[in-house]
Amino acid sequence: MERQYLSKSRIMAGLQCQKRLWLEVHRPDLIEYDPGVEHRMAVGEDVNDVARAQYPGGVLVEFDNVPNAAIEETGRLLEERPGIPIFEATIAADGVLVRVDILESSRDGFDLIEVKSTTSVKPHYYDDCAVQTWVLERAGLTVKDIRLCHIDNGFVYRGGGDYRGLFHLEDVTKEVRERIRSVPQWAQGCGEVLSGLEPDIEMGAHCTVPHSCPFIGYCRGEETEYPLRCMPRPRGSAEVIAGLIAEGIDDIREIPEGRLANERQKWVRRATIAGTPELRQEAAVVGAYGCPRYYLDFEAIQFAIPIWEGTRPFEALPFQWSCHIEAASGDLRHEEYLDRTGIAPMRACAESLLRIAGEEGPVFVYGSYEKVILNALATRFPDLAADLYKLTERLVDLLSIVRRTYYHPDMLGSWSIKKVLPTVAPHLDYGTLGEVKDGNAAGTAYTRIINTETNDAERQRLVGELLEYCKRDTLGLVELVKFLSRGAPKPPTTS
């Protein structure tokens, strides 16, 4: 029979929130992961694979949810093959089990190397390594150096599978040693939590720091129609909202008059209490733009491990665009581009857009993302830079206009396009789309399209969904401009 261990991940969960730890063990049926969790896990696996490749001759210890077998295999490797790097070395002591990303033999002991798919060292990583180090040393191993292996975002991929220099090894031995003495208390505290009843813990900053908790929905329970948590929180307003929560106020409509100093918060409260949207007359400024009008949206991918020569980790690389073009007659034409080859798509993306973008006319976008992408393309392709910069100068940011001029109670304190469009053009409901409904899903779909192992039928389905998703984004911009152009109803004139 398999012995039950307290894992490192459970201790880390307990450090974030004891209630989260208890729920993970006793009520896993309540887990609700956010849409990007699978993608992040896949990225982590890719990063680990490339990190391991930097240690030739290393051996991976398979786990398969059978800890005792993995512990025995690790022990055998330590005894029979001393000196080799061990990946996912599985070791237990005092009821706590850890799996070390890379355990490397060093003079008179071992080096512990923890691999992270981030570009910097975060404070909670020290606790992570402290648990591992404590277990290894309780098991009789001598740990010399403790290092964090994270991605260097200054790395430029040279191609050919050469990832030398991708990782930065940071010595965190001192910081980890300062925490090790606390590990026994952490483990004991987690054990006591798990043996007791569900902890009664109020929600707070710990729900999202250092990680978003998969039990947020459960802890929120039944909410009001306009929960206070949706109130925008510009800088300097956090204490005001915290005070309202402490008073038991949980609905925006319950906020007493005079308690808010921020104008945006006042606006949200006023419109929510009235139950009606507000559109200010100055929104009509968008109607003054002439034709042809262009409505543009990019989709881009960010690889932790670059796959195209000359690119960096986490660089936003466009693989798709959609553009609706409105003529003076009101006729609407749609153009689009989507890479299906897996060959670096950035130049084709830029050239195809320039071919249809014309020389004049506003280019409506939502936010600064398209400007960032166009500027990056101009930097990458100097011969296209002049035309790309001219296109950038024509951009009209609808987000900045909407933030100043429009609010609907159903936006729940958010001016994101996914919150605004349903109040303006409900027929463009993203819920009617297939698997691809947001940017994260779009990136995941693209990686599957260019994966040579994806079958033709699946690839065609994903291509269709990506095209429809991006097209809906720009069609939404068309509808938004129509709506804003009307502006607020003018008051009747009096004689």
Side-chain angles (χ1 to χ4, degrees):
M1 182 177 178
E2 286 288 332
R3 178 177 175 181
Q4 296 301 307
Y5 293 98
L6 181 65
S7 67
K8 178 199 73 174
S9 62
R10 292 272 165 79
I11 292 177
M12 295 300 294
L15 291 178
Q16 178 172 344
C17 175
Q18 292 181 350
K19 186 174 182 179
R20 172 179 179 169
L21 168 64
W22 192 93
L23 290 170
E24 282 189 1
V25 173
H26 297 291
R27 293 299 309 275
D29 56 299
L30 298 174
I31 289 176
E32 294 181 2
Y33 288 116
D34 69 76
V37 69
E38 289 187 9
H39 173 71
R40 291 193 295 273
M41 290 175 65
V43 168
E45 291 175 2
D46 290 343
V47 170
N48 271 316
D49 286 344
V50 176
R52 291 166 188 161
Q54 312 309 305
Y55 295 84
V59 176
L60 173 65
V61 176
E62 299 291 348
F63 191 71
D64 296 327
N65 291 317
V66 186
N68 288 343
I71 292 169
E72 291 174 6
E73 175 63 8
T74 301
R76 185 187 68 79
L77 290 171
L78 289 171
E79 182 178 348
E80 298 179 6
R81 301 182 64 182
I84 66 163
I86 302 176
F87 309 136
E88 301 298 337
T90 307
I91 296 173
D94 295 348
V96 180
L97 179 140
V98 298
R99 301 180 70 208
V100 180
D101 287 337
I102 301 172
L103 186 63
E104 185 179 34
S105 180
S106 67
R107 185 177 180 180
D108 301 324
F110 296 89
D111 290 344
L112 184 156
I113 301 169
E114 175 71 3
V115 180
K116 298 295 183 183
S117 55
T118 57
T119 58
S120 62
V121 174
K122 303 183 186 301
H124 63 279
Y125 293 168
Y126 301 138
D127 297 339
D128 185 312
C129 291
V131 175
Q132 296 182 64
T133 303
W134 179 78
V135 169
L136 264 61
E137 293 185 334
R138 292 292 293 174
L141 278 65
T142 300
V143 178
K144 290 295 187 180
D145 292 327
I146 307 156
R147 287 173 283 174
L148 250 301
C149 174
H150 66 82
I151 293 171
D152 181 352
N153 60 0
F155 169 82
V156 178
Y157 181 46
R158 295 174 290 273
D162 183 0
Y163 290 106
R164 289 173 298 173
L166 171 64
F167 295 103
H168 174 72
L169 282 173
E170 187 158 337
D171 191 317
V172 294
T173 306
K174 178 178 179 294
E175 294 83 354
V176 172
R177 288 288 173 196
E178 292 172 351
R179 287 164 166 76
I180 287 179
R181 66 175 63 92
S182 299
V183 177
Q185 288 75 38
W186 296 346
Q188 181 180 348
C190 288
E192 292 172 355
V193 168
L194 292 175
S195 63
L197 299 176
E198 178 182 335
D200 183 13
I201 297 176
E202 293 292 327
M203 296 187 69
H206 59 274
C207 295
T208 54
V209 178
H211 305 292
S212 181
C213 177
F215 298 100
I216 286 179
Y218 166 73
C219 290
R220 280 180 182 154
E222 290 289 332
E223 287 195 294
T224 64
E225 188 176 2
Y226 301 103
L228 185 61
R229 66 176 177 82
C230 293
M231 177 64 77
R233 304 188 186 194
R235 185 175 298 176
S237 67
E239 289 186 4
V240 174
I241 301 301
L244 293 169
I245 293 173
E247 293 174 27
I249 295 172
D250 58 6
D251 190 290
I252 292 172
R253 295 167 296 185
E254 297 173 358
I255 301 174
E257 180 71 33
R259 295 292 297 276
L260 301 173
N262 180 268
E263 291 303 318
R264 185 175 297 275
Q265 291 180 333
K266 290 180 181 179
W267 187 16
V268 170
R269 174 186 176 274
R270 181 176 66 249
T272 305
I273 290 174
T276 56
E278 289 188 19
L279 178 64
R280 295 171 177 170
Q281 188 59 43
E282 63 181 288
V285 67
V286 299
Y289 286 95
C291 291
R293 294 173 173 177
Y294 299 80
Y295 304 84
L296 175 66
D297 180 69
F298 278 114
E299 295 300 330
I301 188 79
Q302 293 178 290
F303 292 110
I305 306 296
I307 66 170
W308 296 314
E309 186 176 342
T311 62
R312 294 180 290 102
F314 299 111
E315 184 177 7
L317 305 169
F319 62 85
Q320 179 183 14
W321 56 258
S322 170
C323 187
H324 276 85
I325 305 170
E326 182 182 5
S329 63
D331 290 342
L332 202 61
R333 176 172 112 247
H334 181 246
E335 300 284 351
E336 62 191 359
Y337 168 83
L338 171 62
D339 171 64
R340 298 162 171 82
T341 67
I343 299 171
M346 295 82 75
R347 187 174 185 92
C349 203
E351 290 177 336
S352 58
L353 179 60
L354 290 174
R355 281 195 293 270
I356 64 97
E359 297 291 331
E360 60 182 16
V363 181
F364 292 105
V365 297
Y366 202 82
S368 61
Y369 191 64
E370 278 65 32
K371 184 175 183 178
V372 170
I373 294 294
L374 288 170
N375 284 337
L377 288 171
T379 300
R380 182 176 294 278
F381 305 115
D383 58 317
L384 303 179
D387 290 334
L388 288 168
Y389 285 134
K390 287 179 183 177
L391 184 58
T392 302
E393 292 170 358
R394 293 161 52 193
L395 298 182
V396 179
D397 179 12
L398 292 174
L399 172 59
S400 63
I401 296 172
V402 172
R403 277 180 173 158
R404 297 194 310 269
T405 64
Y406 177 63
Y407 185 75
H408 190 293
D410 290 349
M411 287 160 53
L412 296 176
S414 171
W415 278 262
S416 76
I417 191 68
K418 297 296 191 296
K419 289 293 188 181
V420 172
L421 275 184
T423 72
V424 171
H427 60 287
L428 297 179
D429 180 12
Y430 283 83
T432 63
L433 295 174
E435 182 180 327
V436 182
K437 293 183 173 70
D438 57 37
N440 283 332
T444 300
Y446 178 64
T447 59
R448 287 159 61 187
I449 287 170
I450 64 175
N451 188 330
T452 56
E453 295 182 2
T454 302
N455 64 57
D456 289 343
E458 177 73 354
R459 182 174 291 108
Q460 284 300 106
R461 181 184 70 80
L462 292 169
V463 164
E465 290 201 7
L466 263 179
L467 292 174
E468 182 59 29
Y469 167 70
C470 203
K471 180 179 180 181
R472 187 157 302 191
D473 275 348
T474 51
L475 190 56
L477 298 184
V478 174
E479 294 293 330
L480 183 56
V481 166
K482 288 180 182 178
F483 173 79
L484 295 173
S485 297
R486 298 199 297 268
K490 296 181 180 179
T493 57
T494 57
S495 57

